[in-house]
Amino acid sequence: MSMNVKDAIAARHSVRAFVQEPLAEAEISELLEAGRNAPSSLNSQPWRFVVVTKPADLAWFGTSEATRKQGWLAAAPAIIVCCADLAHYVKDSQSAAFFYRDNKIIDGEPMDGIDAYVARQAAADEASKFGACAMNVGLAVSFMMLRAVEMGLGTCWIGMFDEANIKARLGLPAGWRIVNLLAVGRPDEPEVYPRKRKSLEDIVLK
Ligand SMILES: Cc1cc2nc3c(=O)[nH]c(=O)nc-3n(C[C@H](O)[C@H](O)[C@H](O)COP(=O)(O)O)c2cc1C
């Protein structure tokens, strides 16, 4: 199936019921590829992904230790654990700043602004670094969610989870934080409810 971005945005909705069959590795790679190409602050690309497809792990994700008893998750054929690598974020931002300067892509005052931004990030506490990284990870996940629609797949962003438990179970590096889980599979929904959205008048300041 091929569709334009407008159609993919219109069709995307959170899918919480899936056909019980595994996804092909190539399908997962396609999703990750979409995320890999997302924009990020100073091209820092702080996103890291762990693809969970083992039945025992998936079953565990439906338990209270992992996701506060969101039992339906156990029936997802794949869960992508979307992480932020705080340990490398500042260094990777710095590298891009060097690249911009060396190649004169950005010069003068804006470059000073970038240097100041990187210095602020280097001095920032973990919560601020996580906020900056999570914004970038969220963009990558958005790209993945739209690509999934084009591929006939459904996704759901899961924000309610127990980070410490999941980090321990999957053995994630200490410098990583989990931003969200992304459930993925072929939709098997009895009914798709119309999405409720605020009107433009509600969200645009005139
Ligand atoms: C930050 C965030 C956290 C969310 N957490 C959960 C969650 O833990 N469980 C869940 O079933 N859906 C979760 N969702 C999905 C939202 O409920 C859903 O996007 C929203 O109701 C709008 O519906 P739609 O995605 O179908 O347009 C989350 C979405 C976002 C963006």
Side-chain angles (χ1 to χ4, degrees):
M1 176 173 33
S2 183
M3 54 170 45
N4 61 36
V5 179
K6 183 178 179 180
D7 292 341
I9 290 170
R12 188 218 57 80
H13 59 278
S14 292
V15 174
R16 300 182 179 87
F18 302 99
V19 176
Q20 291 306 292
E21 66 182 30
L23 297 178
E25 257 179 54
E27 289 176 300
I28 307 248
S29 298
E30 277 293 314
L31 295 181
L32 297 170
E33 188 62 18
R36 195 173 73 85
N37 281 297
S40 59
S41 57
L42 285 172
N43 203 20
S44 53
Q45 304 165 65
W47 40 72
R48 305 287 183 267
F49 302 105
V50 182
V51 180
V52 176
T53 53
K54 282 197 197 123
D57 286 333
L58 293 169
W60 180 79
F61 270 93
T63 66
S64 57
E65 303 93 89
T67 56
R68 320 256 187 250
K69 293 194 183 154
Q70 298 192 71
W72 62 270
L73 267 169
I79 293 175
I80 303 179
V81 182
C82 306
C83 305
D85 182 354
L86 268 57
H88 294 94
Y89 170 61
V90 174
K91 194 162 76 50
D92 287 345
S93 302
Q94 186 83 66
S95 303
F98 290 149
F99 178 79
Y100 289 160
R101 178 181 289 107
D102 291 349
N103 293 284
K104 300 201 179 337
I105 295 170
I106 300 178
D107 229 341
E109 271 189 48
M111 201 60 232
D112 295 343
I114 286 175
D115 288 339
Y117 171 79
V118 174
R120 271 201 309 280
Q121 288 299 324
D125 60 15
E126 182 182 324
S128 310
K129 274 196 198 121
F130 179 62
C133 285
M135 180 172 58
N136 292 308
V137 175
L139 275 168
V141 176
S142 294
F143 277 38
M144 289 158 71
M145 290 196 287
L146 291 179
R147 179 73 178 107
V149 175
E150 187 185 32
M151 292 165 63
L153 300 176
T155 60
C156 186
W157 176 304
I158 306 299
M160 195 165 60
F161 55 83
D162 188 320
E163 184 177 22
N165 258 321
I166 296 174
K167 280 187 77 171
R169 168 116 187 169
L170 300 179
L172 301 187
W176 289 20
R177 294 283 313 275
I178 301 174
V179 175
N180 70 295
L181 314 176
L182 190 69
V184 191
R186 260 173 269 292
D188 183 18
E189 304 162 296
E191 199 174 346
V192 177
Y193 296 99
R195 292 181 305 183
K196 286 169 81 176
R197 288 298 189 263
K198 293 183 167 129
S199 69
L200 278 181
E201 286 72 36
D202 289 335
I203 61 171
V204 180
L205 182 68
K206 286 254 165 68

